[in-house]
Structure formats: C-alpha cells, structure tokens
Amino acid sequence: MAARHREDGFGSLDNPERIFDQDYQQLKQDFVAHRRGFIDLKFRPDRDSIGEGVLSLTDLDRVQWLRPGEIAPNPSLIVDGISRFDFGQGRIGNCWFHAAVGSLAFQNNILKQVIPPGQIFNEEYCGLFHFRFWRFGIWVDVVIDDILPTIDGRLIFVHSTTQNEFWPALLEKAYAKVCGSYADMIAGTPAEALMDFTGGVYIYVDLKDPPPNLWKLIWRACQSKSLMGCVTPQGETSENKVAANGLVKGHAYTVTGVKQVMSQKKVESLIRLWNPWGEGEWKGDWSDRSPLWNTVRPQDREECLKVADNGEFWMTIADFCKHFTHLDICCQSPSFMDGSQALDWKASVYEGRWVAGATAGGNKRHDSFWINPQFRIKIGKVLGERAETHNDGNMLVSLMQKPDKRNRRQVKNLYIGFYVFEVPEEFMRKKGQFPASFFSHHSPVAHTKIFRVAREVMEFFKVKPGEYLIVPSTFKPYETASFILTIHAKREILSPAV
C-alpha cells in the first residue's frame, strides 16, 4: 500500500477546516448587519444536543436554553484572565475533558489556538462564538451559538466560579458539537482532549511500571510547557465513588506542577494535582492538612499551600504511582524526554486504512500479518553531535485510530499496535509490499508493549541510522478502520518508500 504523506495548507491552524461549512466571519457579518441573534441550526438548542443518558426525563422537561445575558448580568467570555480555578465540572461524566482544560489554562499560547482572541460581548455581539480543535490530523473551526442549557436559571453542565464568565460553558458546548452531543462526552481519558487542544505529541506513561526517571520526566514536561493529565483506577463497585484517601475512583485529574522540598534531612519529590470538580482532595501524606508541611521551610510551605480546599493538592511521586494508573503528556516536541532541542526533531504523518479481507492482517501471530499497510522510512544523518552520543530514545511512533462515525459514543476503538523492522541489505532494492516470508525470518527491532483499546498508542525507542519498515495493525485480522501514523525522529527522516 502506498503511503500518502499529509501536507500543510487547508486544515492547518492558519487555515482550519470549517465544521459543517460554517464560516464564522461571514456569519458574524450577516447577523450583526441584520441585528439578529445567531441560532446554530447544526447544533440546535434542544434535547438532541444534550443526548441520552445525561438527564432524567423529568429534568429534560425542566431544561431552558438561555443566552448568557439571561443567566447573569454583564456577561463576559473571560473575566480577569483564564485559570483552572475558573470552573467546576457539571452534571456529566466528562472529567477527562475538564482535566485537560485545567492543563490548557496554564498555556496562553495554546489557549489562543483553541479560543481565538477578540470574541467579546460588545456592540457587535450576536450570540456567535467559535473555537478551534485539532481533530485526527487537521485543525477545525467550530461555530456555536451561546444558548446554554439551564435548570432554574443555572447552568446544568460546567459552571463558572465567577457567575458572568462564560468561556468554560462555551468551550464545552463547542466540544460537545464536535463529539455529537453533550452525552457523547461521557467517559474518556485526558489524552484525547489534550491532543485536540494542541495537535502535538502524545506520551503515555504506565504508572504501574514507571520509568526510573519519572519525576525528572514530569519536571522536564512542566519546564517545556506540556499539558498533563492522569487517571485513578475504577472502583470495584459503583458505590463509594470517593475513596477514604479523598481520591475519586475512575476519575481524571490535571498535573499542575512539581516541586522538591527538604523534609527531615531528606529530599521529597512532590507532584501537584487538581480535581476538575473544583473540590475534593487527597487526604494522605503532603495533603493540605498534613503535619509533614511543618517539617519544611516556611517559604516552601507558604508557596505550596497558598489556597486551601480548591481541589488542588500535593503528593509524593511514590503515592502518585500507587494511586493512579497512567500519565498522559501532550507537548509540541518529544525533546523534553531527553533534554534535547525541539529543532532536533523531525516529523512525518501518514494516513492509512485497514480493510477486512484486503489490508487487515492482524498482529504478527497471524499468517496474514504481511497484508497490513506497510510504511518504509529512511533515517539519515544525525542532526547534531548530541544526538549521536545520547543514550535516550531517538524515535517516537504514534498510531491513532480515525473514526468513521461522527458521534463519539458510537465509535468502537479496536485493539491496535505496531511493529518496526529494520530493512536488511538484501531487501534494500525491494519495491512494494514486503512478503510473508520476510516477517517469518525477521524480528521487529521495536513494537508496542501491548495492543490497547485506545484512540492512540505510542512508543519511544532508539534506532540506528538505516531503513525501517513500520507495520501498524489491529490485534485481530479482518477488522476495518482508518488510522494516522506519525513518526518523530531525532535523526532526519529522508524519504518514504513503500
């Protein structure tokens, strides 16, 4: 299968694709000129936009769709800047999205990508706003009206701590439109929204088998202005959702900082987390009321405990690994992982598709593995002497499933993974699909540790200069799905072959 390399241009951040072909500037010009309030006919203020399973039938009958001016006096999109403490999660299980929003609130440059500036309630206000997300390889511009679902005059879903600030509710509505409905935002991991906010590089860290340099990795990620989220394991029952230690079971949190303090003649490496509920905190060591804070310098104690009972707390890296399943990091470049320069890294993006009976061969245990899409790349010269001598990884491969359905809840992710084979000298002149015999006699030099049911899987590893064959696959054969394969290399990617 020939690989198609994605090109810049339409679908870029500067020229995003318009969802439903809705042009924000044209719509604004028309509605301002006619002094009418915009109503989005592509995402109507009705039950279909809320979706099923979010509210009871009784509550659905009580819903009123109101504009900001009908909810609070002097409405504003943003009041005194944007902060993770501006909002709290509402009556929908989308903590994964709000954990990502909490991380987004730290990075003004990324915020401006997602929330284009200049949107204010002024004389040209017509109830029209727009937001931008990176969706499966392209940037999209999402137009919405500002008619929000309420009960008894209060927002049902995300709510602001400042009554007349509406960026959280409007951002959530725009993302609900992209997903299909508010109900389509139920359940997920922070990685999904983190990628949709940045279009960057996704790093998955398994906290049950963490790297030995985990704290340093997180510290570097903070320094590089990465976005980070994490998740607690599901409870054994649906009861007692909040554990005795204060953590919510099966819940997403935002990583908001790291710090080392000297306590009782020992260095403690701490990580700061935030609960998107805006309340509910860890009660163990180094929690807000822990006596351990009396063992550190007053300056450290004051800096770390500026505000109490805001959903934000500290814990040790050891407790973090014990009580959370994995860490999601999203960044502009993998450079923070080894302290290299972002310019050292090059990226290539390809699209492909598994088709049952044609190009869906399953994993390497199946005889049909060889029919999977194959992508051949050549890793050339080292970009700088540092990369030549560094012992860390120099290639990151990411595989993302691309859904065929609009509504997020209807998307069934498959178990996916990939293998990387070095092309030996005798196959250098080979053109087209590599045969089954090649895979019978050659082992991969790298591969995903496990096949996962996830929107995206990735691995970070080290390879030497040469040619490589990357084979993405589903775990089982005869499964149909589209995908995006992204390769980041610290050594220059010269040319695709197959």
Side-chain angles (χ1 to χ4, degrees):
M1 170 183 167
R4 183 171 70 84
H5 191 280
R6 296 189 60 83
E7 298 178 353
D8 292 334
F10 187 66
S12 66
L13 185 59
D14 293 331
N15 187 21
E17 179 180 299
R18 296 189 291 268
I19 291 289
F20 297 115
D21 200 32
Q22 291 175 297
D23 187 322
Y24 169 74
Q25 295 295 344
Q26 186 62 54
L27 286 169
K28 183 175 180 180
Q29 181 179 329
D30 292 345
F31 278 85
V32 169
H34 292 89
R35 298 182 180 277
R36 291 187 294 130
F38 175 65
I39 299 177
D40 187 3
L41 300 182
K42 300 298 184 180
F43 195 63
R44 296 174 182 271
D46 58 22
R47 291 190 177 193
D48 288 341
S49 293
I50 293 177
E52 298 180 357
V54 179
L55 301 176
S56 67
L57 292 177
T58 300
D59 282 344
L60 277 172
D61 289 336
R62 299 171 60 203
V63 172
Q64 287 184 295
W65 292 80
L66 303 176
R67 293 194 189 269
E70 300 172 299
I71 300 172
N74 303 314
S76 180
L77 185 65
I78 300 170
V79 176
D80 295 330
I82 287 179
S83 164
R84 62 194 179 282
F85 302 124
D86 284 350
F87 63 92
Q89 183 184 339
R91 294 171 60 178
I92 184 173
N94 62 349
C95 59
W96 59 277
F97 173 73
H98 290 298
V101 174
S103 189
L104 175 68
F106 279 91
Q107 310 301 342
N108 286 330
N109 59 323
I110 301 176
L111 266 170
K112 291 177 182 178
Q113 294 179 175
V114 177
I115 308 177
Q119 303 186 79
I120 56 178
F121 290 80
N122 61 4
E123 65 276 2
E124 293 190 347
Y125 163 75
C126 62
L128 173 67
F129 292 87
H130 71 133
F131 299 84
R132 289 176 179 170
F133 306 113
W134 184 91
R135 297 285 289 174
F136 306 105
I138 62 171
W139 283 93
V140 297
D141 193 72
V142 184
V143 168
I144 59 166
D145 61 37
D146 63 354
I147 309 174
L148 299 167
T150 70
I151 292 179
D152 297 331
R154 297 183 178 181
L155 292 170
I156 300 171
F157 303 127
V158 66
H159 54 274
S160 297
T161 52
T162 300
Q163 187 184 16
N164 66 330
E165 185 171 47
F166 285 92
W167 74 263
L170 295 175
L171 175 63
E172 183 183 57
K173 181 173 184 177
Y175 203 78
K177 180 177 179 177
V178 164
C179 292
S181 71
Y182 283 96
D184 281 284
M185 294 178 70
I186 295 175
T189 63
E192 184 173 342
L194 292 177
M195 280 296 293
D196 288 351
F197 292 156
T198 65
V201 179
Y202 166 52
I203 309 293
Y204 175 91
V205 181
D206 183 355
L207 296 177
K208 301 308 175 189
D209 183 24
N213 64 337
L214 177 63
W215 189 88
K216 190 172 184 180
L217 181 70
I218 298 174
W219 182 84
R220 283 175 172 169
C222 287
Q223 294 297 110
S224 67
K225 299 183 178 181
S226 299
L227 308 186
M228 289 182 280
C230 52
V231 179
T232 55
Q234 295 286 344
E236 295 181 2
T237 67
S238 59
E239 299 179 359
N240 301 321
K241 191 169 179 63
V242 179
N245 61 21
L247 297 178
V248 184
K249 301 173 185 177
H251 191 52
Y253 288 76
T254 305
V255 177
T256 63
V258 291
K259 188 175 180 63
Q260 286 186 322
V261 297
M262 184 66 70
S263 171
Q264 302 175 89
K265 299 181 180 181
K266 185 177 70 171
V267 175
E268 290 284 1
S269 297
L270 306 178
I271 183 170
R272 189 176 64 190
L273 305 169
W274 177 71
N275 181 350
W277 286 358
E279 59 183 7
E281 300 181 8
W282 162 250
K283 297 178 181 179
D285 288 350
W286 299 101
S287 59
D288 284 3
R289 293 173 177 79
S290 170
L292 288 170
W293 287 110
N294 295 324
T295 67
V296 305
R297 296 186 313 159
Q299 301 97 304
D300 288 334
R301 183 168 62 250
E302 181 179 351
E303 178 185 343
C304 293
L305 302 178
K306 289 179 181 177
V307 183
D309 301 322
N310 57 1
E312 194 167 62
F313 55 88
W314 295 90
M315 62 169 34
T316 64
I317 283 293
D319 279 333
F320 178 58
C321 294
K322 180 179 179 181
H323 296 289
F324 288 81
T325 60
H326 70 274
L327 170 68
D328 294 321
I329 305 174
C330 194
C331 51
Q332 297 300 320
S333 160
S335 57
F336 76 91
M337 297 188 73
D338 64 355
S340 61
Q341 297 296 316
L343 293 176
D344 291 344
W345 292 85
K346 302 295 181 181
S348 290
V349 184
Y350 308 92
E351 289 192 17
R353 184 169 174 83
W354 298 292
V355 178
T359 59
N363 70 64
K364 197 174 182 296
R365 296 177 182 178
H366 298 278
D367 293 338
S368 56
F369 173 76
W370 71 278
I371 72 172
N372 280 303
Q374 300 175 7
F375 298 86
R376 186 170 171 180
I377 63 169
K378 185 176 182 180
I379 303 299
K381 63 181 180 180
V382 177
L383 295 180
E385 185 176 341
R386 180 184 178 88
E388 179 71 54
T389 58
H390 215 286
N391 292 322
D392 290 307
N394 60 1
M395 179 183 283
L396 186 149
V397 176
S398 168
L399 177 65
M400 173 184 283
Q401 299 186 64
K402 187 176 181 180
D404 296 324
K405 299 180 183 296
R406 181 196 168 207
N407 286 76
R408 183 175 172 273
R409 286 203 295 180
Q410 295 177 6
V411 174
K412 303 297 182 184
N413 283 328
L414 306 174
Y415 283 89
I416 60 170
F418 57 82
Y419 302 83
V420 180
F421 298 85
E422 185 175 7
V423 178
E425 184 66 33
E426 62 270 25
F427 277 84
M428 286 295 183
R429 297 181 180 275
K430 167 69 181 165
K431 302 295 182 182
Q433 196 87 349
F434 277 41
S437 58
F438 173 82
F439 302 104
S440 299
H441 296 90
H442 296 87
S443 298
V445 295
H447 57 85
T448 41
K449 293 178 181 176
I450 59 171
F451 278 69
R452 293 173 47 225
V453 181
R455 190 175 84 154
E456 184 173 7
V457 298
M458 53 72 57
E459 290 292 341
F460 186 61
F461 47 87
K462 187 178 182 67
V463 296
K464 61 185 180 181
E467 291 195 23
Y468 294 88
L469 193 69
I470 300 178
V471 184
S473 75
T474 56
F475 186 75
K476 298 178 181 178
Y478 310 112
E479 294 184 311
T480 297
S482 298
F483 63 83
I484 298 173
L485 180 70
T486 305
I487 303 157
H488 298 267
K490 199 192 297 182
R491 302 163 189 262
E492 187 175 0
I493 302 173
L494 294 181
S495 60
V498 175

